Amino acid sequence: EAQVTQNPRYLITVTGKKLTVTCSQNMNHEYMSWYRQDPGLGLRQIYYSMNVEVTDKGDVPEGYKVSRKEKRNFPLILESPSPNQTSLYFCASSLTGVSDEQFFGPGTRLTVL
Amino acid sequence: GQQLNQSPQSMFIQEGEDVSMNCTSSSIFNTWLWYKQDPGEGPVLLIALYKAGELTSNGRLTAQFGITRKDSFLNISASIPSDVGIYFCAGQTILADGLTFGKGTHLIIQP
């Protein structure tokens, strides 16, 4: 089944404790992206990747890192999480870019205390 | 980043009514997308628009890419209970490979 998977689905952590949210897709898509969703703000793009070893900042990249060492994986790294990073995070992938249909993962709800 | 103004923020309608929502921007977009998000799930693409003036339908849904390239609307005809959810517009500008989303329209249908 074609899908985007994210892990973990739920995470509660404390300020400053490094964490990684994994994202994997099995559709051989070139484009992958991370978004955060906050009430009243909609979805905001954090980082995106056009292909392996190619990553770019989205609208809200501060406090996040990403890597794209393999085509299928696009982990989101929070080196020193802070409470304002409490949010619902979505990973998405598409064939070549945002104008193609993006397939979204199920979301990761992160709480930073 | 770019900003998209999506309205209305929420809609309370009766089943069977038609729905209209829109997005505007001060920037020119070369792609407009409309997504729907059901509770507890990620967004799903409804309609994609690639040319100014383009009018595209998907069942009871119709969307248009504005002539000025700064706006788009989505219409839903004869709403049914499963139309409930959050609808997002999203756009891509010529200058970037990223995607900007509107803040969403919450659609609530009263039986």
Side-chain angles (χ1 to χ4, degrees):
Chain A
E1 180 190 354
Q3 59 183 350
V4 178
T5 56
Q6 295 178 227
N7 281 292
R9 294 290 313 279
Y10 303 90
L11 179 61
I12 300 174
T13 189
V14 295
T15 299
K17 186 176 180 182
K18 181 179 178 180
L19 67 92
T20 299
V21 183
T22 64
C23 173
S24 182
Q25 49 93 6
N26 61 1
M27 296 169 278
N28 202 35
H29 285 169
E30 293 183 354
Y31 187 95
M32 296 186 75
S33 181
W34 276 102
Y35 298 88
R36 60 178 288 173
Q37 184 174 19
D38 302 290
L41 296 177
L43 287 118
R44 293 179 293 168
Q45 194 170 40
I46 302 171
Y47 269 95
Y48 61 92
S49 169
M50 298 293 290
N51 214 323
V52 175
E53 301 291 2
V54 180
T55 62
D56 273 301
K57 295 178 180 179
D59 292 326
V60 289
E62 294 77 22
Y64 305 94
K65 285 174 56 178
V66 293
S67 69
R68 188 91 182 272
K69 292 184 170 53
E70 306 163 283
K71 199 171 188 178
R72 63 182 293 129
N73 296 322
F74 190 45
L76 179 70
I77 303 153
L78 284 73
E79 294 272 4
S80 183
S82 62
N84 65 12
Q85 293 178 298
T86 293
S87 187
L88 178 59
Y89 291 86
F90 287 101
C91 179
S93 75
S94 63
L95 194 58
T96 60
V98 291
S99 57
D100 301 322
E101 179 176 6
Q102 285 194 86
F103 293 86
F104 282 78
T108 294
R109 187 166 291 282
L110 172 66
T111 301
V112 183
L113 302 174
Chain B
Q2 310 298 329
Q3 289 215 344
L4 291 181
N5 300 309
Q6 185 172 351
S7 65
Q9 188 174 11
S10 58
M11 302 183 74
F12 294 81
I13 64 168
Q14 300 284 337
E15 184 177 348
E17 286 186 31
D18 296 342
V19 171
S20 184
M21 59 191 80
N22 68 84
C23 272
T24 60
S25 173
S26 57
S27 303
I28 291 175
F29 286 83
N30 64 342
T31 301
W32 282 97
L33 307 166
W34 285 92
Y35 283 84
K36 183 193 178 201
Q37 185 179 28
D38 290 326
E41 298 184 14
V44 174
L45 182 68
L46 298 173
I47 293 178
L49 303 159
Y50 301 109
K51 285 174 51 177
E54 181 180 355
L55 183 71
T56 297
S57 293
N58 178 7
R60 293 178 295 106
L61 279 61
T62 302
Q64 185 160 29
F65 192 139
I67 290 291
T68 65
R69 300 171 71 184
K70 294 182 178 181
D71 63 326
S72 177
F73 72 75
L74 174 71
N75 288 340
I76 305 172
S77 63
S79 59
I80 60 177
S82 62
D83 290 335
V84 166
I86 306 175
Y87 291 80
F88 292 100
C89 63
Q92 179 192 17
T93 66
I94 296 172
L95 301 175
D97 294 311
L99 192 64
T100 300
F101 278 78
K103 295 181 181 179
T105 295
H106 290 244
L107 181 61
I108 298 158
I109 298 176
Q110 299 160 331

